[in-house]
mmCIF file of all heavy atoms in Angstrom:
data_model
loop_
_atom_site.group_PDB
_atom_site.id
_atom_site.type_symbol
_atom_site.label_atom_id
_atom_site.label_comp_id
_atom_site.label_asym_id
_atom_site.label_seq_id
_atom_site.Cartn_x
_atom_site.Cartn_y
_atom_site.Cartn_z
ATOM 1 N N TRP A 7 34.736 -0.474 17.875
ATOM 2 C CA TRP A 7 33.619 0.479 17.601
ATOM 3 C C TRP A 7 32.718 -0.181 16.396
ATOM 4 O O TRP A 7 31.532 -0.181 16.454
ATOM 5 C CB TRP A 7 34.045 1.832 17.219
ATOM 6 C CG TRP A 7 32.980 2.807 16.785
ATOM 7 C CD1 TRP A 7 32.201 3.449 17.592
ATOM 8 C CD2 TRP A 7 32.557 2.856 15.424
ATOM 9 N NE1 TRP A 7 31.134 4.215 16.708
ATOM 10 C CE2 TRP A 7 31.465 3.844 15.503
ATOM 11 C CE3 TRP A 7 32.955 2.402 14.174
ATOM 12 C CZ2 TRP A 7 30.754 4.251 14.299
ATOM 13 C CZ3 TRP A 7 32.248 2.806 13.056
ATOM 14 C CH2 TRP A 7 31.131 3.763 13.090
ATOM 15 N N LEU A 8 33.459 -0.769 15.346
ATOM 16 C CA LEU A 8 32.688 -1.257 14.240
ATOM 17 C C LEU A 8 31.926 -2.546 14.667
ATOM 18 O O LEU A 8 30.713 -2.761 14.259
ATOM 19 C CB LEU A 8 33.698 -1.697 13.154
ATOM 20 C CG LEU A 8 33.189 -2.202 11.832
ATOM 21 C CD1 LEU A 8 32.286 -1.139 11.222
ATOM 22 C CD2 LEU A 8 34.247 -2.635 10.948
ATOM 23 N N ILE A 13 25.422 -3.593 13.333
ATOM 24 C CA ILE A 13 23.961 -3.823 13.075
ATOM 25 C C ILE A 13 23.379 -2.461 12.638
ATOM 26 O O ILE A 13 22.593 -2.422 11.533
ATOM 27 C CB ILE A 13 23.223 -4.441 14.255
ATOM 28 C CG1 ILE A 13 23.702 -5.757 14.605
ATOM 29 C CG2 ILE A 13 21.771 -4.377 13.931
ATOM 30 C CD1 ILE A 13 23.006 -6.393 15.863
ATOM 31 N N GLY A 17 21.919 -1.613 8.915
ATOM 32 C CA GLY A 17 20.505 -1.069 8.785
ATOM 33 C C GLY A 17 20.532 0.156 8.000
ATOM 34 O O GLY A 17 19.623 0.351 7.138
ATOM 35 N N LEU A 21 18.753 0.866 4.423
ATOM 36 C CA LEU A 21 17.816 1.935 4.209
ATOM 37 C C LEU A 21 18.224 2.958 3.106
ATOM 38 O O LEU A 21 17.388 3.191 2.329
ATOM 39 C CB LEU A 21 17.753 2.790 5.527
ATOM 40 C CG LEU A 21 16.687 3.910 5.460
ATOM 41 C CD1 LEU A 21 15.278 3.363 5.378
ATOM 42 C CD2 LEU A 21 16.756 4.654 6.907
ATOM 43 N N TYR A 23 19.997 2.058 0.445
ATOM 44 C CA TYR A 23 19.867 1.304 -0.776
ATOM 45 C C TYR A 23 18.285 1.344 -1.136
ATOM 46 O O TYR A 23 17.960 1.477 -2.304
ATOM 47 C CB TYR A 23 20.188 -0.123 -0.551
ATOM 48 C CG TYR A 23 19.969 -1.104 -1.745
ATOM 49 C CD1 TYR A 23 20.783 -0.920 -2.839
ATOM 50 C CD2 TYR A 23 18.939 -1.970 -1.690
ATOM 51 C CE1 TYR A 23 20.500 -1.726 -3.932
ATOM 52 C CE2 TYR A 23 18.692 -2.795 -2.723
ATOM 53 C CZ TYR A 23 19.473 -2.696 -3.936
ATOM 54 O OH TYR A 23 19.186 -3.528 -4.951
ATOM 55 N N GLN A 48 20.202 17.590 -17.076
ATOM 56 C CA GLN A 48 20.419 18.728 -18.038
ATOM 57 C C GLN A 48 20.586 20.069 -17.197
ATOM 58 O O GLN A 48 21.676 20.694 -17.115
ATOM 59 C CB GLN A 48 19.302 18.903 -19.012
ATOM 60 C CG GLN A 48 19.187 17.732 -19.876
ATOM 61 C CD GLN A 48 20.406 17.394 -20.726
ATOM 62 O OE1 GLN A 48 21.174 18.260 -21.197
ATOM 63 N NE2 GLN A 48 20.724 16.134 -21.038
ATOM 64 N N TRP A 55 7.114 21.340 -11.443
ATOM 65 C CA TRP A 55 6.359 21.456 -10.184
ATOM 66 C C TRP A 55 5.328 22.512 -10.350
ATOM 67 O O TRP A 55 4.330 22.514 -9.709
ATOM 68 C CB TRP A 55 7.431 21.783 -9.099
ATOM 69 C CG TRP A 55 8.082 20.615 -8.595
ATOM 70 C CD1 TRP A 55 9.311 20.039 -9.058
ATOM 71 C CD2 TRP A 55 7.756 19.741 -7.594
ATOM 72 N NE1 TRP A 55 9.719 18.955 -8.342
ATOM 73 C CE2 TRP A 55 8.726 18.695 -7.513
ATOM 74 C CE3 TRP A 55 6.581 19.625 -6.797
ATOM 75 C CZ2 TRP A 55 8.708 17.653 -6.610
ATOM 76 C CZ3 TRP A 55 6.545 18.594 -5.809
ATOM 77 C CH2 TRP A 55 7.437 17.613 -5.701
ATOM 78 N N GLY A 66 -5.692 12.818 -15.148
ATOM 79 C CA GLY A 66 -6.914 12.045 -15.336
ATOM 80 C C GLY A 66 -6.695 10.627 -14.884
ATOM 81 O O GLY A 66 -7.389 10.058 -14.052
ATOM 82 N N THR A 83 -10.964 -3.693 3.161
ATOM 83 C CA THR A 83 -10.668 -3.591 4.567
ATOM 84 C C THR A 83 -12.016 -4.123 5.229
ATOM 85 O O THR A 83 -11.792 -4.812 6.281
ATOM 86 C CB THR A 83 -10.518 -2.166 5.009
ATOM 87 O OG1 THR A 83 -9.305 -1.704 4.179
ATOM 88 C CG2 THR A 83 -10.316 -1.980 6.439
ATOM 89 N N ARG A 97 -15.156 -21.497 15.289
ATOM 90 C CA ARG A 97 -14.733 -22.786 14.790
ATOM 91 C C ARG A 97 -15.858 -23.241 13.880
ATOM 92 O O ARG A 97 -16.960 -23.342 14.263
ATOM 93 C CB ARG A 97 -14.549 -23.690 15.918
ATOM 94 C CG ARG A 97 -13.421 -23.254 16.915
ATOM 95 C CD ARG A 97 -12.098 -23.309 16.406
ATOM 96 N NE ARG A 97 -11.100 -22.884 17.269
ATOM 97 C CZ ARG A 97 -10.655 -21.715 17.418
ATOM 98 N NH1 ARG A 97 -11.089 -20.732 16.677
ATOM 99 N NH2 ARG A 97 -9.689 -21.435 18.264
ATOM 100 N N ALA A 100 -14.156 -26.688 7.387
ATOM 101 C CA ALA A 100 -13.254 -25.943 6.350
ATOM 102 C C ALA A 100 -12.493 -24.799 6.782
ATOM 103 O O ALA A 100 -11.941 -24.034 5.881
ATOM 104 C CB ALA A 100 -14.007 -25.822 5.046
ATOM 105 N N ASN A 105 -8.216 -20.904 5.745
ATOM 106 C CA ASN A 105 -6.996 -20.264 6.175
ATOM 107 C C ASN A 105 -5.739 -20.459 5.130
ATOM 108 O O ASN A 105 -4.959 -19.603 4.909
ATOM 109 C CB ASN A 105 -6.438 -20.895 7.551
ATOM 110 C CG ASN A 105 -6.999 -20.075 8.652
ATOM 111 O OD1 ASN A 105 -7.005 -18.835 8.706
ATOM 112 N ND2 ASN A 105 -7.423 -20.702 9.720
ATOM 113 N N GLY A 135 -13.438 -2.502 -17.801
ATOM 114 C CA GLY A 135 -13.423 -1.113 -17.433
ATOM 115 C C GLY A 135 -13.231 -0.837 -15.890
ATOM 116 O O GLY A 135 -12.560 -1.702 -15.150
ATOM 117 N N MET A 145 -10.239 -8.179 -4.807
ATOM 118 C CA MET A 145 -9.985 -9.541 -4.692
ATOM 119 C C MET A 145 -8.505 -9.924 -4.323
ATOM 120 O O MET A 145 -8.162 -10.730 -3.428
ATOM 121 C CB MET A 145 -10.381 -10.331 -5.874
ATOM 122 C CG MET A 145 -11.839 -10.446 -6.118
ATOM 123 S SD MET A 145 -12.279 -11.343 -7.697
ATOM 124 C CE MET A 145 -11.817 -12.998 -7.167
ATOM 125 N N THR A 153 -4.587 -11.020 6.353
ATOM 126 C CA THR A 153 -3.363 -11.423 7.124
ATOM 127 C C THR A 153 -3.045 -10.331 8.329
ATOM 128 O O THR A 153 -2.743 -10.731 9.360
ATOM 129 C CB THR A 153 -2.221 -11.591 6.213
ATOM 130 O OG1 THR A 153 -2.654 -12.519 5.229
ATOM 131 C CG2 THR A 153 -1.065 -12.022 6.827
ATOM 132 N N LEU A 166 -10.192 -8.741 28.160
ATOM 133 C CA LEU A 166 -10.561 -7.308 28.151
ATOM 134 C C LEU A 166 -12.096 -7.146 27.715
ATOM 135 O O LEU A 166 -12.865 -6.450 28.309
ATOM 136 C CB LEU A 166 -9.748 -6.526 27.183
ATOM 137 C CG LEU A 166 -8.337 -6.376 27.535
ATOM 138 C CD1 LEU A 166 -7.529 -5.695 26.475
ATOM 139 C CD2 LEU A 166 -8.175 -5.590 28.886
ATOM 140 N N PRO A 177 -23.044 -6.060 23.333
ATOM 141 C CA PRO A 177 -22.149 -6.562 22.343
ATOM 142 C C PRO A 177 -21.731 -5.430 21.489
ATOM 143 O O PRO A 177 -20.539 -5.349 21.074
ATOM 144 C CB PRO A 177 -23.096 -7.489 21.473
ATOM 145 C CG PRO A 177 -24.082 -7.958 22.454
ATOM 146 C CD PRO A 177 -24.459 -6.782 23.355
ATOM 147 N N VAL A 184 -14.111 -1.489 22.926
ATOM 148 C CA VAL A 184 -12.987 -2.377 23.389
ATOM 149 C C VAL A 184 -12.186 -3.112 22.142
ATOM 150 O O VAL A 184 -11.148 -2.884 21.823
ATOM 151 C CB VAL A 184 -13.512 -3.289 24.394
ATOM 152 C CG1 VAL A 184 -12.410 -4.236 24.761
ATOM 153 C CG2 VAL A 184 -14.003 -2.660 25.658
ATOM 154 N N THR A 185 -13.057 -3.786 21.368
ATOM 155 C CA THR A 185 -12.518 -4.669 20.328
ATOM 156 C C THR A 185 -12.022 -3.887 19.280
ATOM 157 O O THR A 185 -10.772 -4.002 18.762
ATOM 158 C CB THR A 185 -13.573 -5.615 19.832
ATOM 159 O OG1 THR A 185 -14.254 -6.333 20.879
ATOM 160 C CG2 THR A 185 -13.040 -6.581 18.818
ATOM 161 N N GLY A 192 -4.036 -3.003 13.404
ATOM 162 C CA GLY A 192 -4.069 -4.009 12.382
ATOM 163 C C GLY A 192 -4.919 -3.672 11.184
ATOM 164 O O GLY A 192 -4.515 -3.871 10.001
ATOM 165 N N ASP A 206 -0.587 0.832 -7.006
ATOM 166 C CA ASP A 206 0.682 0.540 -7.671
ATOM 167 C C ASP A 206 0.496 -0.609 -8.761
ATOM 168 O O ASP A 206 1.305 -0.837 -9.666
ATOM 169 C CB ASP A 206 1.720 0.096 -6.618
ATOM 170 C CG ASP A 206 3.028 -0.319 -7.266
ATOM 171 O OD1 ASP A 206 3.652 0.685 -7.907
ATOM 172 O OD2 ASP A 206 3.528 -1.386 -7.127
ATOM 173 N N ASN A 212 -3.785 -4.166 -16.157
ATOM 174 C CA ASN A 212 -3.583 -4.184 -17.613
ATOM 175 C C ASN A 212 -4.450 -5.324 -18.354
ATOM 176 O O ASN A 212 -4.851 -5.104 -19.449
ATOM 177 C CB ASN A 212 -2.058 -4.468 -17.869
ATOM 178 C CG ASN A 212 -1.731 -4.174 -19.350
ATOM 179 O OD1 ASN A 212 -2.233 -3.248 -19.946
ATOM 180 N ND2 ASN A 212 -0.907 -5.054 -19.917
ATOM 181 N N PHE A 213 -4.622 -6.439 -17.619
ATOM 182 C CA PHE A 213 -5.343 -7.587 -18.134
ATOM 183 C C PHE A 213 -6.973 -7.232 -18.108
ATOM 184 O O PHE A 213 -7.665 -7.530 -19.103
ATOM 185 C CB PHE A 213 -5.182 -8.818 -17.397
ATOM 186 C CG PHE A 213 -4.031 -9.613 -17.927
ATOM 187 C CD1 PHE A 213 -2.699 -9.199 -17.675
ATOM 188 C CD2 PHE A 213 -4.335 -10.847 -18.572
ATOM 189 C CE1 PHE A 213 -1.690 -9.963 -18.079
ATOM 190 C CE2 PHE A 213 -3.156 -11.569 -19.037
ATOM 191 C CZ PHE A 213 -1.899 -11.160 -18.777
ATOM 192 N N SER A 228 3.929 5.900 -21.405
ATOM 193 C CA SER A 228 4.773 7.112 -21.573
ATOM 194 C C SER A 228 6.253 6.656 -21.827
ATOM 195 O O SER A 228 7.021 7.329 -22.506
ATOM 196 C CB SER A 228 4.594 8.128 -20.414
ATOM 197 O OG SER A 228 3.422 8.576 -20.268
ATOM 198 N N VAL A 247 4.059 12.269 0.833
ATOM 199 C CA VAL A 247 2.786 12.005 1.667
ATOM 200 C C VAL A 247 2.936 10.744 2.393
ATOM 201 O O VAL A 247 2.509 10.809 3.654
ATOM 202 C CB VAL A 247 1.673 11.909 0.610
ATOM 203 C CG1 VAL A 247 0.417 11.431 1.369
ATOM 204 C CG2 VAL A 247 1.265 13.308 0.002
#
Side-chain angles (χ1 to χ4, degrees):
W7 176 87
L8 185 64
I13 296 178
L21 183 62
Y23 175 75
Q48 300 296 329
W55 282 92
T83 302
R97 300 292 183 268
N105 267 317
M145 291 184 69
T153 303
L166 297 175
V184 179
T185 308
D206 182 61
N212 191 40
F213 271 74
S228 298
V247 169

